[in-house]
Amino acid sequence: FSGCSGVTEIRMPNNVTSIGYEACINCTNLVKVVIMWATPPSLNDSNYRVTNNVLYVPQGSVNAYKADATWSSAFTDIKEL
């Protein structure tokens, strides 16, 4: 999705095993990312350099994502589904 300004939302099911380097960099209209992993997967901090986006995660996993330095620096707003 790198550089794709038409992308506004991304949903990643729990069977996705990796997120490519700079996968969402410069997606200027991306505002919503839904991740279905209860445990935060490894994330390179260069994957998400987008402002004003919200990360939605499974119920009960918000604290795990907020405690993960990479996820919490990439997303300032993390909410439960």
Side-chain angles (χ1 to χ4, degrees), residues 68-81:
D68 185 288
T70 307
W71 284 97
S72 62
S73 69
F75 294 91
T76 56
D77 195 0
I78 302 173
K79 298 180 180 181
E80 278 187 356
L81 290 170

Side-chain angles (χ1 to χ4, degrees), residues 5-81:
S5 62
V7 173
T8 59
E9 179 177 327
I10 295 174
R11 292 180 173 267
M12 294 186 204
N14 59 5
N15 64 347
V16 172
T17 58
S18 66
I19 301 169
Y21 182 73
E22 294 185 349
C24 297
I25 197 166
N26 296 323
C27 292
T28 53
N29 292 314
L30 179 62
V31 294
K32 182 177 181 180
V33 177
V34 178
I35 300 286
M36 297 309 299
W37 296 293
T39 303
S42 177
L43 177 70
N44 180 308
D45 65 352
S46 295
N47 286 339
Y48 295 99
R49 289 191 184 157
V50 183
T51 58
N52 300 322
N53 53 20
V54 179
L55 175 64
Y56 291 89
V57 297
Q59 253 184 343
S61 61
V62 169
N63 289 336
Y65 280 85
K66 286 183 176 181
D68 185 288
T70 307
W71 284 97
S72 62
S73 69
F75 294 91
T76 56
D77 195 0
I78 302 173
K79 298 180 180 181
E80 278 187 356
L81 290 170

